[in-house]
Amino acid sequence: NEYAKARLAAIHYASTVFPFDHVASRYVCLLACGDEREDVREEGKKGLSPAVLKRGTYPDFSKLVSFLSEKGEKRIQRSKGYSTSSGVLPFLPDAFSSMLMFCQTCIHKNAGVSADEEITRTFLSTLSQHVTKLCRTTEGENALKTFLNLIKQALSPAGGGNLHCVALGCLLEIIASSPKSAIQSLIPDKEWIRHFLSSPRSDTHELAAQLMGLLCKSLSQDAVSALMSSFLENCTHP
């Protein structure tokens, strides 16, 4: 809606009327995080915190990523995405960043990561057990692949530095939590990650370097050698 007051009312309604684990209403709040008006953005953020709303549990990760993927495809088909000279995103960059971070929070909560583990950043073991469990079922593995596809969209040139950094952080966490045997299935093509190693942003290329280190552990020695040779060649001949 072109009227900010109408958007604000719709977001408040979605935030307060529906249960917190209601995916469609959280989607409304996530879209609001990319709004041009600060008051609308803030109302959207409130709708993503059960502590602020004082009720509810987080949505199911699998249902959330499936919903976001479906909505993203429809937005691009209907030319409602975010267009730049570099390409098209299904959502505005700020909204897309919020979506990825909310997906990340949901998988943490579904995994049973405690508040203390979040604060001390010691949740990897708990998360890894949950991701391993997801990888054992077709539905769970498909949910992870859908999340990774969203991340890959966010890492397209149209995304920009801030979105790229958020997406790489989410990707690094999922790969670090995944069993080694599943990594090749989740990310069969690693070439699209490599160019972030030369990003001018230190946070981006540091995340990319950590990610490539993890991915190389799932490759054969010959594959790692070929990947490194290709990277060195690009460094020599940009």
Side-chain angles (χ1 to χ4, degrees):
N1 195 297
E2 61 180 302
Y3 297 106
K5 287 184 178 180
R7 298 198 302 276
L8 202 58
I11 298 157
H12 181 73
Y13 182 84
S15 298
T16 56
V17 172
F18 296 94
F20 190 75
D21 62 358
H22 185 255
V23 172
S25 59
R26 290 323 110 195
Y27 172 69
V28 172
C29 297
L30 288 164
L31 284 179
C33 292
D35 199 275
E36 60 185 17
R37 292 193 41 128
E38 184 177 1
D39 57 344
V40 177
R41 293 196 302 271
E42 289 304 312
E43 190 66 29
K45 291 174 184 178
K46 288 179 184 178
L48 300 176
S49 173
V52 173
L53 299 176
K54 297 181 180 179
R55 62 184 174 83
T57 57
Y58 279 85
D60 177 77
F61 169 77
S62 298
K63 292 179 181 177
L64 176 64
V65 295
S66 176
F67 187 92
L68 293 178
S69 177
E70 182 181 337
K71 288 293 184 181
E73 288 176 6
K74 288 181 178 178
R75 286 174 65 88
I76 289 178
Q77 289 170 2
R78 297 170 182 172
S79 300
K80 291 186 176 181
Y82 171 73
S83 298
T84 72
S85 59
S86 302
V88 181
L89 291 175
F91 311 103
L92 291 168
D94 286 348
F96 210 166
S97 292
S98 295
M99 290 174 186
L100 295 181
M101 289 188 289
F102 191 63
C103 288
Q104 188 179 43
T105 300
C106 286
I107 196 171
H108 282 202
K109 298 302 180 183
N110 293 174
V113 173
S114 68
D116 286 343
E117 287 176 317
E118 290 280 10
I119 293 170
T120 58
R121 303 293 293 174
T122 56
F123 55 78
L124 198 59
S125 176
T126 302
L127 182 60
S128 182
Q129 292 176 36
H130 184 66
V131 171
T132 299
K133 189 181 297 184
L134 289 176
C135 289
R136 289 175 182 159
T137 67
T138 301
E139 181 184 1
E141 188 175 38
N142 285 341
L144 290 172
K145 287 181 178 179
T146 299
F147 186 39
L148 293 176
N149 284 335
L150 287 170
I151 290 172
K152 189 172 181 178
Q153 283 182 297
L155 289 172
S156 69
N162 290 334
L163 178 56
H164 289 166
C165 194
V166 169
L168 283 171
C170 291
L171 181 57
L172 177 62
E173 187 175 287
I174 287 295
I175 295 305
S177 306
S178 299
K180 183 178 177 180
S181 58
I183 292 176
Q184 190 64 32
S185 170
L186 293 174
I187 306 186
D189 175 21
K190 299 163 182 64
E191 288 295 314
W192 57 275
I193 300 169
R194 192 180 60 188
H195 82 274
F196 289 103
L197 290 167
S198 56
S199 168
R201 287 183 52 146
S202 60
D203 50 1
T204 298
H205 68 238
E206 285 173 12
L207 285 168
Q210 292 178 56
L211 184 57
M212 287 303 293
L214 284 173
L215 292 173
C216 283
K217 289 183 179 181
S218 69
L219 300 176
S220 66
Q221 186 173 348
D222 289 343
V224 172
S225 297
L227 188 64
M228 291 301 102
S229 296
S230 177
F231 173 62
L232 290 172
E233 183 179 348
N234 286 342
C235 289
T236 308
H237 305 287

